[in-house]
Amino acid sequence: FARRCAWLERLAARIDPLRVHCDAIEARLVPGQRCVFSFDLLEAIAHDYGVKPRDIALVIGEDNRRRLASFHRGRELRQRFGLLVASETLMLHSSAIRRSLRDGLPLPDAWCLPEMRGEVGIYEEFR
């Protein structure tokens, strides 16, 4: 989790460090647990930042649009918060990284920021 947050901070710095950042709110919501539901996360963000839920959007990939109804409190999530479906120009998911490493394949350059290439060892256990 800490490594992924660090990666996101680096990526945010490339986008717009004044407007984009990584907040480790998930670690505060459920310390030591693996799963935070999107609904609970968005509720916490609304509360912590004093933002009206309708002014917050869940950003998902096209692959999750079809699954949104199966999300924890999916109907309420869709009613209470906005939704932004991001089109994927590069189909990259952690499962693809693990699969490539497991199959002994090198990761394509497009999958990693150059300064992060040596840090994908976090997925080595999946080889």
Side-chain angles (χ1 to χ4, degrees), residues 38-100:
S38 298
F39 183 90
D40 299 332
L41 176 61
L42 294 176
E43 282 284 323
I45 290 171
H47 177 268
D48 287 6
Y49 287 92
V51 177
K52 294 176 184 167
R54 70 174 181 264
D55 293 334
I56 296 175
L58 174 65
V59 180
I60 61 174
E62 189 66 44
D63 60 324
N64 277 317
R65 177 195 293 238
R66 295 176 293 277
R67 297 185 30 220
L68 191 60
S70 70
F71 278 33
H72 172 72
R73 297 175 74 176
R75 178 178 291 169
E76 193 176 355
L77 174 71
R78 189 63 184 104
Q79 292 169 348
R80 190 155 167 77
F81 302 97
L83 178 66
L84 177 64
V85 180
S87 60
E88 295 184 72
T89 56
L90 175 64
M91 295 296 288
L92 174 62
H93 304 271
S94 58
S95 57
I97 294 171
R98 289 190 297 271
R99 187 172 37 258
S100 289

Side-chain angles (χ1 to χ4, degrees), residues 16-41:
D16 183 348
L18 298 176
R19 296 182 58 217
V20 180
H21 74 280
C22 176
D23 184 329
I25 191 171
E26 292 177 66
R28 296 190 305 273
L29 286 176
V30 287
Q33 292 186 19
R34 294 183 58 146
C35 180
V36 175
F37 294 112
S38 298
F39 183 90
D40 299 332
L41 176 61

